[in-house]
Amino acid sequence: MGQLPHFAFAERRVAATDNEPRAIACAAENFRNLGVEDRAEAVLADMFPPGQAPLVVCNPPWIPATPHSSLDNAAYDPGSRMLFRFLNELAVAACSPTVLSSRTGAL
């Protein structure tokens, strides 16, 4: 779960996803502590949450090596599999009006 830009909370809703329940619990607690839980939701999901989005931000694991512990999963992405899967699914989603809005950008 990456850092969410401050501007995202101004007047938008944010759905932050992760496939690790501990990361979701941590993000939900952070949203409560920041007082933004009415605009930000932590969603346990394998990749994209349901619904449309005008902006997609990804903070993938960046080390293309094998993790050796559950903590390593946040930084290690063997063969860049997660990154390539994200990019492929984003490309497919861009062709589907039910997933991404017509003005979707990606970071």
Side-chain angles (χ1 to χ4, degrees):
M1 183 104 24
Q3 302 273 332
L4 295 175
H6 178 60
F7 72 85
F9 295 115
E11 297 187 24
R12 303 271 187 201
R13 289 208 37 82
V14 173
T17 64
D18 204 296
N19 62 357
E20 172 57 52
R22 292 183 305 168
I24 293 300
C26 180
E29 181 179 348
N30 287 338
F31 295 156
R32 282 190 300 278
N33 291 339
L34 292 168
V36 297
E37 68 274 14
D38 61 324
R39 299 178 305 273
E41 176 185 12
V43 180
L44 184 64
D46 188 38
M47 190 66 67
F48 299 106
Q52 289 186 320
L55 177 68
V56 177
V57 178
C58 180
N59 183 19
W62 63 93
I63 302 171
T66 303
H68 299 289
S69 71
S70 60
L71 184 59
D72 286 351
N73 288 329
Y76 289 78
D77 184 16
S80 300
R81 287 189 308 240
M82 183 273 168
L83 177 61
F84 291 131
R85 180 174 164 227
F86 169 81
L87 294 172
N88 287 331
E89 290 188 24
L90 183 64
V92 169
C95 297
S96 172
T98 61
V99 177
L100 301 177
S101 68
S102 62
R103 294 182 164 174
T104 296
L107 295 174

